[in-house]
Amino acid sequence: MFNPSRDQVRDFFIDTWRKHQTKQILTPLESIALNWIQQHPEYHGVLENPESKSKDFSVDQGQVNPFLHLSMHLAIEEQISINSPPGLKDIFQTLAAGSNPHEAAHEIMECLGTVIWEAQRLGKPLDNNQYLDLLRQRVKRH
């Protein structure tokens, strides 16, 4: 399993944005990341600032970590593409039909964040059943 460091993740997004701006060829994964970067213009300045690589983004101060946010978009896109956990692709399509694919990804992201936090807090693996239950609750609200 690939488990990049914080710096590797940040370098990946910063380099992807730089490569796009300088019209260099992107890898397939960089192309997917670029799509999400382009949908988040509020992060462009962060990706262009070399000091961002070492910056801490504090939830307590209402800050969103753009690198984490973009990473979660990539993870969710991969989950949807392979329909894992089973049923996620249908849930995504239902959520997207009620809004749009980006908003649907954000709804999934909230559920994924909840189950990741819970797994870390309890020192247990991610609970796919809880993840799907949270997602189904979102679908019911639509």
Side-chain angles (χ1 to χ4, degrees):
M1 176 184 285
F2 182 62
N3 189 16
S5 70
R6 177 181 119 154
D7 284 350
Q8 288 171 321
V9 168
R10 290 177 179 210
D11 283 340
F12 170 77
F13 287 110
I14 290 168
D15 289 346
T16 297
W17 185 238
R18 179 191 50 75
K19 285 173 72 173
H20 166 70
Q21 291 180 309
T22 58
K23 310 229 184 299
Q24 295 180 43
I25 295 172
L26 301 175
T27 67
L29 184 58
E30 288 170 334
S31 294
I32 295 168
L34 176 63
N35 174 54
W36 290 113
I37 292 168
Q38 289 175 317
Q39 292 186 55
H40 285 282
E42 69 275 21
Y43 299 157
H44 295 176
V46 171
L47 297 172
E48 294 165 3
N49 181 351
E51 294 175 13
S52 297
K53 184 175 172 182
S54 61
K55 183 176 182 304
D56 288 323
F57 297 90
S58 172
V59 175
D60 295 338
Q61 295 178 0
Q63 297 175 319
V64 172
N65 181 331
F67 301 103
L68 175 59
H69 188 88
L70 292 168
S71 295
M72 289 189 68
H73 270 302
L74 286 179
I76 290 164
E77 185 158 337
E78 174 69 10
Q79 289 177 335
I80 292 166
S81 75
I82 62 172
N83 194 33
S84 179
L88 179 63
K89 189 172 191 171
D90 289 339
I91 290 169
F92 168 75
Q93 290 170 342
T94 301
L95 291 170
S99 58
N100 63 61
H102 193 173
E103 288 304 314
H106 279 197
E107 291 206 47
I108 293 170
M109 190 179 297
E110 287 184 34
C111 297
L112 180 58
T114 298
V115 295
I116 289 172
W117 178 83
E118 188 73 13
Q120 289 175 339
R121 186 177 70 82
L122 298 174
K124 294 184 176 182
L126 191 132
D127 184 341
N128 280 334
N129 291 327
Q130 180 189 12
Y131 185 30
L132 289 170
D133 287 345
L134 290 170
L135 289 167
R136 288 184 191 110
Q137 290 170 23
R138 296 266 173 166
V139 167
K140 287 180 185 177
R141 287 188 258 175
H142 284 269

